[in-house]
Amino acid sequence: MTGMTHSPAFDAAAEFDRQVRTLVALGYPALSGRTPDGFAELLAPLRAEAVARTDSAAYAEYDPAVSGRVPFVLVVGRELAPIERTLPLTTLHGGRLPGFVDRTFEPGSLERFVATGPTRPPGAGGVHLLFDVERGEEFCGVVPGDAMATVAERGRTLLTIEEGVALLTLVPETLVKNKCFSLGGSRCGDRRVPALWISKRAPKLGWCWEGNPHTWLGMASAGARHA
């Protein structure tokens, strides 16, 4: 009789602590005008919710590069850490080149891409949790406008730019060749949809028209937010 092996259950508490350590090591406390201890204290109240709402059994075979699914992500809003400062702190998994903003964002335009009504961050502290995150590769090759409508029909929420940067920062394995993702939760009133993809061996924040599909670009979404 052969013995059976089981994958260990996902440890939500350990993952929360890892995400906090990663943000501290990248310099987020200084960006937000806090000491490392003060920054950790800002995030600490979210720990219990992360543990309580994570179905550890569902992530026993946790491999975000393959599945594109992440149980939760800590998000620091742009009021604490501007996107122009946080994106260069990102890299591809195993890479070294910093993320950058595409030149097609004309000067001053990035700040106009803000959360839409349904995607506005909860609470007033500038930090929140994003649960049941998917990079959405099923929408590769789908018109972004149609993908966003399908996400809404499923009762899910589109990711904002800040949330996409948080996902890339804390789980860089999710951004891989031919499985990049749009961030339809941030809009500026026109037909442009922000997106994260790979360019010159680094993460790039750009945008695509909501009516133009791309075979390598899906639509990221989440199940819920909590602050």
Side-chain angles (χ1 to χ4, degrees):
M1 181 176 179
T2 59
M4 295 180 63
T5 60
H6 298 277
S7 298
F10 181 83
D11 189 334
E15 173 61 11
F16 183 92
D17 294 342
R18 182 196 70 81
Q19 292 191 17
V20 173
R21 289 195 303 271
T22 298
L23 294 174
V24 170
L26 287 173
Y28 272 69
L31 288 179
S32 63
R34 289 170 169 79
T35 65
D37 287 345
F39 182 75
E41 289 174 3
L42 177 67
L43 299 173
L46 298 173
R47 190 177 192 269
E49 191 73 12
V51 173
R53 294 180 62 163
T54 298
D55 181 358
S56 297
Y59 292 92
E61 299 287 345
Y62 186 53
D63 189 346
V66 174
S67 69
R69 297 180 61 238
V70 176
F72 62 83
V73 173
L74 273 167
V75 182
V76 181
R78 67 174 72 181
E79 64 270 34
L80 294 182
I83 296 166
E84 296 89 340
R85 301 284 301 278
T86 58
L87 188 61
L89 300 176
T90 68
T91 62
L92 298 177
H93 179 58
R96 293 183 296 176
L97 299 178
F100 64 98
V101 178
D102 187 73
R103 59 182 176 81
T104 54
F105 280 103
E106 65 274 15
S109 67
L110 187 58
E111 64 190 33
R112 299 199 302 271
F113 281 83
V114 297
T116 62
T119 65
R120 285 177 186 151
V127 296
H128 67 275
L129 280 168
L130 195 64
F131 286 100
D132 186 21
V133 185
E134 297 179 356
R135 69 183 168 208
E137 63 257 43
E138 68 175 285
F139 296 111
C140 288
V142 176
V143 172
D146 294 342
M148 290 188 286
T150 299
V151 168
E153 289 169 0
R154 293 175 179 175
R156 293 178 61 80
T157 182
L158 299 165
L159 265 62
T160 65
I161 293 177
E162 294 98 313
E163 291 167 343
V165 172
L167 176 61
L168 173 60
T169 300
L170 295 168
V171 196
E173 299 94 325
T174 53
L175 188 66
V176 297
K177 184 179 179 180
N178 296 325
K179 293 182 180 180
C180 303
F181 44 86
S182 293
L183 304 168
S186 291
R187 304 298 297 274
C188 71
D190 60 20
R191 298 178 61 249
R192 291 181 289 178
V193 181
L196 281 168
W197 65 83
I198 300 170
S199 177
K200 300 178 182 178
R201 296 182 294 161
K204 179 169 78 172
L205 175 64
W207 57 264
C208 294
W209 299 114
E210 66 180 14
N212 291 0
H214 296 277
T215 58
W216 42 269
L217 200 56
M219 183 66 64
S221 68
R225 294 177 178 84
H226 174 82

